[in-house]
Amino acid sequence: MTQTEDRRRILVYLAFAFGIAWATSLVVYLTGGLRDSPVVIPAANVSLALLLVAGPVMWAPALAHLLTRLVTREGWSDTYLRPHLRKEWPNWAAAWTAPAVLIIAGLAVYFLLFPRYYDADLTVLRDMLEAAPVDPGEVNVWALAAAQVFQALLIAPLVNGLATFGEEFGWRGYLQPKLFGLGWGPRRTMVVMGVIWGVWHWPVIMMGHNYGLDYPGAPFLGPIAMVWFSLFAGTLLGWLTYRARSVWPAVIGHAAINGMANLGVIFLQGDPNPLLGPVPVGLVGGVGFTLVGLLLLLIAGLWERENGGQGSGPPEQGGS
């Protein structure tokens, strides 16, 4: 396969990934956006926006992967769906646990820098208990907080995996190997991947996803902050994919991030700037991802494999 063919397929893929997601986002915007979207399943309070974002938007990269292969007649020999679990289990374990560690580290840094937003009484949880059919006095809120963290750590990578597969099968399972195939090397590939992934989120970010619409500079600074987070979190997910020769660690890692992202809310009081945190998409809340991503971008040796190969070319194929 020539680099000219790869470049053409990259362009076709991006046209599908952005076209499907952004066209669907336009429908969301025209029908009330994320805040005022009509409820289509009253019994479950499910809005049209939720269905469209969780469906066509999040699955646009995977659909783009499939459509690009069909349109360009590329074949199906290198889809990165083989798990390689027996040999690459450390990468799976890292994908499962590292997001929680980095998110908790980011929370610690955030509340150290902004202690006025830290609520030691966990009022958010206490309010939830008061609305539940239990006696709040019989429940230890700190034990409940710990249980939620433990539950998210164990279950979130599985529960959220279906949704995050829609993104990762496209970004890390198709686009990343194609960019490596151009001979760019890991640093340039990861920077381009991160920017593309962040920009792809822009329509829903502009409608209030992740940061809301009440922060200073809204709605234009949120998309920039999203690119920052996507660059460094995406580098971690890309590295896990490269090392494991499989898309599944990225699926798990992305799902773990989504499952733990709102952990900081239960410790929160006041009205902080969401561009800073405490959620990991904030510049301070996401400092753990930033540091790890920087290490991966700056230290080329971290991309070496057991066979001595380094990430200057396409990863070995993980065909299915």
Side-chain angles (χ1 to χ4, degrees):
M1 185 183 300
T2 67
Q3 288 192 358
T4 300
E5 290 175 324
D6 272 349
R7 288 190 176 94
R8 181 172 68 90
R9 284 168 175 153
I10 288 170
L11 293 176
V12 172
Y13 169 80
L14 291 175
F16 279 129
F18 277 80
I20 295 170
W22 285 23
T24 305
S25 297
L26 178 61
V27 174
V28 173
Y29 174 75
L30 294 175
T31 55
L34 299 179
R35 288 187 173 182
D36 301 315
S37 179
V39 175
V40 293
I41 307 179
N45 195 30
V46 174
S47 67
L48 177 62
L50 178 60
L51 289 178
L52 293 177
V53 172
V57 173
M58 290 194 69
W59 274 80
L63 293 173
H65 182 164
L66 299 176
L67 289 171
T68 301
R69 289 183 180 274
L70 290 172
V71 169
T72 64
R73 300 181 179 180
E74 181 176 350
W76 306 92
S77 63
D78 54 353
T79 57
Y80 273 68
L81 287 176
R82 283 185 183 172
H84 304 297
L85 180 56
R86 181 168 18 174
K87 184 177 181 181
E88 303 296 343
W89 68 265
N91 294 298
W92 287 61
W96 202 296
T97 58
V101 173
L102 297 179
I103 287 171
I104 291 172
L107 286 176
V109 173
Y110 179 84
F111 286 122
L112 282 173
L113 292 177
F114 305 103
R116 65 184 180 278
Y117 295 125
Y118 176 68
D119 178 18
D121 293 327
L122 304 187
T123 305
V124 171
L125 276 183
R126 293 185 186 278
D127 290 343
M128 292 172 58
L129 288 173
E130 289 181 359
V134 297
D135 183 359
E138 297 179 354
V139 180
N140 185 312
V141 289
W142 279 98
L144 180 60
Q148 288 195 348
V149 173
F150 187 69
Q151 182 182 32
L153 180 61
L154 288 181
I155 299 175
L158 297 175
V159 174
N160 296 330
L162 178 63
T164 57
F165 177 83
E167 288 196 51
E168 296 306 328
F169 184 53
W171 299 127
R172 254 60 65 174
Y174 188 81
L175 181 60
Q176 177 172 307
K178 284 290 184 288
L179 294 178
F180 268 112
L182 300 179
W184 285 0
R187 185 177 302 166
R188 184 178 178 185
T189 296
M190 290 300 102
V191 169
V192 171
M193 283 283 299
V195 172
I196 289 174
W197 190 32
V199 171
W200 177 83
H201 284 89
W202 278 6
V204 292
I205 300 297
M206 295 280 284
M207 287 186 281
H209 182 62
N210 282 343
Y211 305 98
L213 293 171
D214 301 322
Y215 58 87
F220 303 106
L221 293 184
I224 297 173
M226 189 64 200
V227 171
W228 179 270
F229 175 76
S230 298
L231 170 59
F232 297 112
T235 296
L236 173 59
L237 297 177
W239 179 75
L240 291 168
T241 300
Y242 180 86
R243 296 284 298 179
R245 303 169 176 87
S246 172
V247 73
W248 293 108
V251 172
I252 291 171
H254 191 166
I257 292 171
N258 288 358
M260 295 284 289
N262 289 323
L263 175 63
V265 174
I266 65 177
F267 302 98
L268 190 64
Q269 64 181 355
D271 189 22
N273 185 340
L275 296 178
L276 298 178
V279 292
V281 291
L283 298 181
V284 178
V287 67
F289 291 96
T290 300
L291 293 177
V292 170
L294 280 174
L295 286 175
L296 292 171
L297 289 173
L298 295 176
I299 304 176
L302 294 174
W303 295 80
E304 293 178 352
R305 290 208 176 104
E306 292 179 1
N307 59 11
Q310 192 171 328
S312 58
E316 295 175 19
Q317 301 300 342
S320 62

